[in-house]
Amino acid sequence: MNELSRLTAVELREGYRRGDFSPVEAAQAALDAIEAGDPEVNAFVAVHADEALRDARESARRWREGRVLGPGDGIPTSIKDIFYTRGWPTLRGTRLIDADRPWQEDAPCVARLRETGAVLLGKTTTPEFAWKGVTDSMRHGSTGNPRAPHLTAGGSSGGSAAAVGMGMGPWSVGTDGGGSVRIPAAFTGTVALKPTYGLVPMFPASPFGTLAHAGPMTRTVADSALLMDVITGFDSRDWSALPTPAGSFMDGLDDGVQGLRIAFSPTLGFGHNDADVDRLVRDAAGVFERLGATVEEVDPGIADPVEAFHVLWFAGASKVLEAYGADAARHVDPGLRQSIEDQGEITASDYLDATAVRMDLGVTMGRFHETYDLILTPTLPIPAFPRGRDVPEGWPSRHWTSWTPYTYPFNMTQQPAMSVPCGFTAEGLPAGLQIVGPRHADRTVLRAARAYEAAADWGTARPGALASQVAAPRP
């Protein structure tokens, strides 16, 4: 593998600045990695090599002439196929969307990437309308894990996680309505941030409403902070967008966690963990204590809000299908169709009751964070399972939410939540640590994640000989 595909965005920028290599070489390295690795993992639905190399040549010229546009100039970048991207179809993993139509608008994050000179490589896989926690669709097939392609990469931003984990560009942008950047980050040993809601504007609005966030997917915390500098910023097309942040998310990133009050909740009071995952997150909590934080094992006092989440989630899923006609459900993922049918008719009263649960959850977590600056949990209670399945074999529930109980609560509260690698199970599979802060405390979350990454050294894993590290079962 070309060494340039192993570098982070921060390292690429420094190399461009010194003149060690150019954006053209970095783009070609990423494209070579796609050619070599994508047949194994199926991370991309479309690759636009000619456009990427054209944009890389323009970036190289700007670097030579000292006219760099911004933090993303020349960085090979992929986009989850949920975001509108001018000139490219946005198919959202479904057969219901016709690719042969005008595609004339960029989503806000894509527009920001273009403005800063990023080199767009292509679009990454997603399940239909990003509805579940693994990545497969009838239109594009299933996406495998860089650590072991026979296992799932998670979802719904599994293509982006697989691309980042395989060196197919150092960063990507995903969406997260119930864990969709954090789930694949945990399964693949990569890094992802679900920012405070509204910090990264969204357009068009997600069918899942104010549950859905957009966020960076990277291999290191510093790259996530740098990408936040690119994709944040007010956009009038999003009625709920927050003001453009002041300053850089890189500022204070290495200030450490000395003096922070941190809660460690291994189950949030209602989950159950794989033994290896439980051990790894407990070890991670100990690292924060050694770094000077005060760490207390305590639950936040919440009940599992999954039933309310299902009402909010599947009301959105059902509504999005309406636009494609009365028989649309016959042409989508059978799991999506069955889940909508299981939920039954959702009344306005049901939706308001679920919203009330959400509001109460937000109040509880707001009060909890009056005492604790951060809360640590596992990102997921289990490691990755075989691809092509919605749940592990023999699992007691067929709902994806049943194996990701620690992610969707924080979509309901709109808090920033980040997944960072915290080690490997006995079988060599990654586990993720989730770091959650109160709303608007994204910089504190990033700073804590960076401190842990530096101390534990899990975040320095490089792409390359990742695929097939874990052997597939024998036939």
Side-chain angles (χ1 to χ4, degrees), residues 2 45 68 118 123 194 316 337 444 468:
N2 189 315
V45 303
V68 178
K123 307 291 289 285
K194 178 187 75 67
R337 179 174 63 249
T444 304
S468 304

Side-chain angles (χ1 to χ4, degrees), residues 258-466:
Q258 181 77 35
L260 290 185
R261 301 163 300 170
I262 298 178
F264 169 52
S265 179
T267 66
L268 285 182
F270 52 79
H272 301 279
N273 300 326
D274 171 90
D276 278 355
V277 170
D278 194 72
R279 171 180 56 81
L280 291 167
V281 294
R282 288 181 182 279
D283 290 348
V287 171
F288 283 90
E289 202 160 27
R290 293 193 294 275
L291 291 172
T294 299
V295 180
E296 180 181 353
E297 185 169 334
V298 58
D299 295 327
I302 62 175
D304 186 357
V306 68
E307 294 304 324
F309 178 80
H310 281 171
V311 169
L312 300 171
W313 189 255
F314 290 111
S318 180
K319 191 68 178 176
V320 76
L321 294 187
E322 285 183 11
Y324 299 97
D327 69 338
R330 293 177 49 234
H331 304 286
V332 300
D333 182 337
L336 173 57
R337 179 174 63 249
Q338 186 64 56
S339 293
I340 292 172
E341 290 174 357
D342 287 350
Q343 197 64 44
E345 182 181 357
I346 298 172
T347 66
S349 180
D350 294 334
Y351 197 90
L352 290 173
D353 286 345
T355 300
V357 171
R358 183 182 189 182
M359 294 170 71
D360 288 344
L361 184 64
V363 170
T364 300
M365 290 307 305
R367 289 175 173 162
F368 185 77
H369 283 293
E370 290 177 356
T371 302
Y372 299 100
D373 298 298
L374 299 168
I375 181 170
L376 308 178
T377 77
T379 307
L380 298 171
I382 59 173
F385 51 86
R387 69 196 275 187
R389 304 183 57 91
D390 289 355
V391 300
E393 186 173 2
W395 198 250
S397 169
R398 57 182 181 75
H399 293 296
W400 65 267
T401 46
S402 66
W403 53 263
T404 178
Y406 311 134
T407 56
Y408 56 79
F410 302 111
N411 293 83
M412 298 180 77
T413 60
Q414 302 186 338
Q415 295 171 241
M418 190 165 201
S419 182
V420 292
C422 66
F424 299 90
T425 68
E427 290 75 30
L429 296 175
L433 173 73
Q434 182 173 229
I435 304 170
V436 183
R439 293 176 73 241
H440 311 297
D442 301 75
R443 286 180 169 84
T444 304
V445 170
L446 283 161
R447 176 161 55 96
R450 171 61 189 144
Y452 173 74
E453 175 188 70
D457 204 30
W458 299 117
T460 61
R462 301 292 189 178
L466 297 183

